Amino acid sequence: KESKAEAQESVKEGDNSDYAGMKIVLILPGSIDDQSWNASNNAGAKQCDKELGTKIEVVESVPVEEFEQTFTEYGEKGYDLVMSAGSQFDEACAAVAPQYPKTVYTVINGTKSDSENMVPVFPKEYEGSYIAGIIAGYTTKNGNFATMGGESNLAMVHLLDTYEAAAVEVAKSRGIADAKANRSFLNTWTDVSIGKAMTSQMIDNGADTVFCYSNEATSGAIQATAEKKAKFVGFAANKNTESDCVVGSVDMAWANVYPWIIKGIKSGELKGAQEVGVKEGVFETILTDQCSDECKAAVEKATEDITAGKLDLKQYFSN
Amino acid sequence: MDKREQRKKLSFTNTQSIFDVLFWTALAIILGLVASFIFLPLLGVNPFYAVSVMFSETFSSTFNMGNILIKTAPLILTGLAFAFTYKANLYNIGAQGQFYAGCICASTVSLSLGGKMPGFVVILFSLIAAVLGGAIIGLIIGFLKAKFNANEFLISMMSTYVIQYVMQLLLRTLLQESKHEYLKTDYLDKSTWLPKILPGTSVSLGIVFSVLTAIIAWYILYRTSMGYRIRVTGLNQDAARMSGIAPRRQYMIAFAISGAMAGLAGLVEVNGMQHMLLTGFDTQIGSYGIGIAILANANPLAVIPAALLFGFLQVGGTALGHASDAPASVIDLLQGFVMLFVLMSFFFRRKIELDRLKKKKVQEGGEVA
Amino acid sequence: MNNLTNLLTRAFFMSTPLVLGALGEVIAERTGMMVTAVEGIFLIGAWGGFIGAYISGNIWLGFLIAMFCGLTVAALYALTTVYMNQHQIVMGTAIAILVSGFCTFFYRVIFGIQTTPLKVLVLPNMEIPILSKIPFLGAIIFSQNMITYCTYILVPIVFFIIFKTSLGLTLRSCGENPEAVDAAGLNVRLVRFGAVLVAGSLGGIAGAYYSLCNVGMYTSEIISGRGWIAFGICFLGNWNPLGALIFGIVFGISEAIGIYVKALGLSTIPSELFSALPYILVIILTVCRKELRVPNRLGAKYLKEN
Amino acid sequence: MEKKILVELKHVSKRFAKVLANDDVSMEIKEGEVVALLGENGAGKSTIMKILYGLYHATSGEIFIHGEKRDISSPKEAIASGISMIQQHFSLIPAHTVTENIILGHCKGKIDYKAKEKEIQDLADKYHFAVNAGEYVKNLTVGAQQKVEILKALYLNSKILIMDEPTAVLTPQEAEILMQFVREYVAKGNSVVFITHKMKEVMEVSDRIIVLRNGRVSGTINEEEVKSVKETELVNMMIGHALEVLKSPGGEEENPKVRFSVSHLSIIPKDEVPILSDVSFEIRGGEVLGFAGVSGNGQQELCEAIYGARTINTGEIVLDGEDVTHLSITERIRKGIGYLASDRYKYGMVSDMSLSENLMLKASYLERWVKHGIIQWKKVNQDTEKIIADYKVKAPDYSVNIGSLSGGNQQKLVVAREVDMGRNLVIFDQPTRGLDLGAINYVHKTILKEKELGKSILLVSTELSEIFALSDRIAVLYKGRIMGIYRNGEISTDRIGLLMAGVGEKEATNG
Ligand SMILES: Nc1ncnc2c1ncn2[C@@H]1O[C@H](COP(=O)(O)OP(=O)(O)OP(=O)(O)O)[C@@H](O)[C@H]1O
Ligand SMILES: Nc1ncnc2c1ncn2[C@@H]1O[C@H](COP(=O)(O)OP(=O)(O)OP(=O)(O)O)[C@@H](O)[C@H]1O
Ligand SMILES: [Mg+2]
Ligand SMILES: [Mg+2]
């Protein structure tokens, strides 16, 4: 929220022409209408254009084999800032960035910073998912949670870990002693059918609260949840409007973060690997009326605790 | 008409037909471009601007032109993979899977030996591994065809999906990077990277491998008895059998060689360009290979320019996507239309050739064949 | 028991488009035409079906448009393979690439860039009065959607046409010896063209099943290889509509079992194995089924010089 | 009485891309007559009839049926006009039943198979065709398949039946039955166009003869003249000159050295009647052993067994004192065994390959043109050119596809190759089937030349005249057994005919 205010200030100050002169590109691994990761990053770029007057070029659907080439291309063209969204860009970025010291490379979701001009921004997704877990804990009736991820990478495992921990803890506190979570991986980000079939199977297996973090496949999961009359907790985008079965979403509001990044880089304040989380306003929790007041309170408290650094979420990591 | 005269006529028709091939192919490509660009205004992109950007961006720097070669290198190999079996009347549409097998083998060897031995030794071992990996998958398909008369088309199609999941499994377990974060391997040791050969570009030795392979494939098919036997089997397997050529063995040989070439493409991509293995990359390389082989009429040497064309379309299409609001899907549209029109041009070319022959006969008058 | 019922219900639900696609494929392949454009046809069916249903708000109009889209792609395929003598496998590949580009491109042309998925209500299930009350089977077979029932009905109809009518005799003859069909005064190319169009229409509906019956939305990965499975089922079913039905159900079950095991979240068995299950199954079954009777001229061009 | 004209072709020309197949052909078909169409390979006989049947479209010219100008654009119209055609290569579907084959295209809606089968069975019985209407065509002999083709025409009540080389694949007995049928059919007022290369049949059955050469009508023999016309006249019309006369064998002194022998060879498939049982014979150097017999009595299997293309149950095969029984085809080729298979298109050549590539066919494992796995194309091409010259193959050069040559010229090249490969033994299986007189002459000359070179030659033919013309000794094969081996001249045609039909005891061999 803070950054937004700041941004508005700067617009007033009228120095946005500075930003307009910046050559910025955002490289996305998927299609900007994937309704998830790519879409929300694209929204971030659009927010900057609006707020700061930048003209960010967005390059979508860049296949893995072209990452290095693409980074090189924009280094060659002398861009000021090359942003990319996805940890899979880390290595390619590390390989290219040192050759173009004048260009700043930012990998959203990245962690690698080998050279001066690499400014990865890592969202602590596990913080957001912890909050999502709390929502789930208050939603469940039988304490049986289904969790799904697009593929099993470390960040995914961690965020599912905290989600499950929170959900089970809350459910137990509500007197559901045998609360448990069941986790599986779709092995696809995009196949809606598989998302749907897996979800309905997991609900058949007893789950009543579903969490699924992948791209297009998530829609399949929501669809199945609605059909099977279970509940869904959205993540990484605002899924509340998609179906009544979504009780709440923890949105990754890149629109809040992108201007902050660009300003930081412009001013030269932002250096080295960055981690952003609840505190920086990456996560926006949007609850529906289906959530109880108790739940709302718990979410608020958790948000405060995390912001204040009172919660050690890493304790929940399974590895 | 004496013999010499007849020969002269023959060579005349040859130059005529070379001209025809070039003319019709060029026409098809232009039509393909037109057909795909005609829709761009719907997304607010000026098609004339698109064409100019596509060419100017692609040829604006050595670096970008180098990219064409980078794209071309593996495409030549997967194109060859299809062309080679096509000659034996077999359809290896599983080059994608064999390519992945090559990738897996190359990266495994490079990762485990990289840094422990001189770079070129590791590259050599990786090359052998990649070629063997692809060849073995090919051989299995050929074997199933030979032994069980299984439909190789179906099996090679399915094998791609299976190998893709095997690769995903390996990347999640044995081959996963040391951070154990993502479904990919560590970076290969720098010493195992294929050396760059053109300054100012990222073009690696891979393109040399590819071109050499094309020449070797051509030589094998048309100059060696092994290739001759493969061709005979493809054209008439009963005659082959009656001539002491065991068709089943030829199937296996053809598939193994085909797989080996696709496997080599894996090395070219992994050690030459990507320098690591990750999921979901080059997912269309097998299909493009088929298109290229067809464009080249399955002639191994003609595969080289055909692959160059596809390389150009991809680089040009990407440049277009970067420089305008044209979506990435325009590349597929481009390639699809070009393939479609090239295939159609085969038909028209042949038709016109026949008509011309007829007309010539009529002019020659009463002479009867 | 309940779990088993659910699993089988899902299996039947998922087998429908496979059976439908395979039925079309059977009709075409009986005339010697492998419709290798099947992936493309499925995809454009899913695409057209969704767009039609979304814009018109009528799901049946969606299916109609899907059928038309599948038919159009099939017509392109048949034009080039039947009348222009191009190679079937090669043409299929070209069309697959073209269609995937086309669908993605025009989805954006029509809808622009969306941040939330566009959805339509999926085709609801319909319990058949009395029959759905049959214990066990009633829930599995007679509580599906309209398209599934139509598919069940289509199987015997196609069987009857292929094996009991003069049209069927002509179809089968085209795949065995087109010269003979020609000599009998029939138009081989027309028969093949028509058969491919039928396969295209059925394939289009099958594709739309994914967007309109299954998930109610369209994504570019919605088919991802399922068309090929239908293609394989046609082979395994021995070019017989009943075989297509049986193997379609086998694949539905295998997919459902794969999902079932994956959903258990067992870490001991690699879940990739289950993802690959249908493909492995096709390979194993093709190798094992020895009695397959391939139409004699399947995939071969019919060159006629006159 | 003047017969009514049913069909008239006027100035029909047909141009394919590479050839002018018919050039201003005019002819007529009258009611109740047999018109014989004669001509060399490629003279345009099949083409003109395919035009009449609607399979090809004429480049120019007109067709009149019952005096009315008709545009026959597909067989559909021809069939409607009462024309049926039995093509050179049958157009049957092996995987379908006799009934299905016959009703294809001539039924509507739901098919009542039982009724149709009965209808067709009745039709077959009426003409005394021993064909089972419910049987699958693939299970039928060639003779029976032809009856199915004829039944198709009868089923459609055709008035005009075109038969393209109907006897080429038949045994003499079957051919005789066919002739009988033709006579009866015509007697009912129908007409037949009979295409053939065999003079005997022409003389026997035809009311009128039309000879084609190079796509043009080169002669017509009218009804009155048919009885008196001489074979040599016809030959002259067909090829434009008289045939050379061959020096027939026999009477020469005998080379005492046995170069090749087969002993006690049997092929007995599991649970089936033996294909070959206890076949023994030997062939000396410079000797031709002719195998007479109705086709399908084990000739092809015998050749394949000797060549190594078929596994045998018992027996020993010895070439020049060396046991070759267990050698592979490649090794036998290396030992100098040549084999001209009867089905040239299937086994003998690769249509889409050049002449030199076809010459290479059996030598891919030999060192002759291959060094370290690399083919010396220059040498192959030179050798091909030499064969083209020596055998007078009508081809521009070595690089054209063999498929673009006419049948006779294809056969010349294949014969040349086998003769070349077979340094010691050459097996000729039906070497002249479907060839025209000129080409036959050439093949016969080659066989005699090879014999003079001291090779052993095994000749299989269903044409007795060919056997008599070329063989030193004659063996008769019946149901996989040798009925006897005789010196040429020691046995009469009648006697051989009986043996071929299985009449006569097995006699002491090696006369
Ligand atoms: N479909 C075709 N396309 C091109 N050329 C053809 C075709 N059919 C026949 N020809 C050519 O037309 C000429 C006449 O052929 P046709 O088959 O009529 O000869 P034919 O008299 O029947 O010979 P045969 O006695 O060998 O059957 C030949 O030179 C042949 O090469
Ligand atoms: N569909 C076709 N397309 C091109 N050429 C053809 C076609 N059909 C036949 N031919 C050519 O016609 C010629 C002879 O054809 P045809 O079928 O009459 O054989 P043939 O020479 O008469 O021998 P045979 O009597 O043994 O059949 C060959 O040169 C062949 O290549
Ligand atoms: Mg012929
Ligand atoms: Mg003929």
Side-chain angles (χ1 to χ4, degrees), chain D residues 4 84 112 114 117 151 191 208 228 278 299 333 362 383 385 449 454 479:
Chain D
K4 215 169 86 192
S84 279
D112 182 353
K114 271 221 181 90
E117 230 162 71
L151 279 173
S191 313
R208 230 150 41 85
S228 59
D278 202 28
Q299 293 97 324
I333 292 174
K362 298 202 169 172
D383 290 354
E385 286 286 3
K449 205 171 83 206
K479 290 202 169 161

Side-chain angles (χ1 to χ4, degrees), chain A residues 60 187 196 201 204 223, chain C residues 10 108 214-215 224 260 271:
Chain A
E60 57 173 327
N187 294 330
K196 181 173 181 185
Q201 182 64 55
D204 284 351
Q223 182 94 36
Chain C
R10 185 166 309 121
R108 182 163 304 174
N214 193 358
V215 290
S224 32
Y260 177 79
S271 61

Side-chain angles (χ1 to χ4, degrees), chain C residues 305, chain D residues 16 19 21 39-47 56 88 165 197 434:
Chain C
E305 204 156 333
Chain D
F16 290 113
V19 282
E40 282 188 289
N41 290 130
K45 308 179 295 290
S46 302
T47 305
Y56 290 161
Q88 211 164 338
E165 297 189 34
H197 290 296

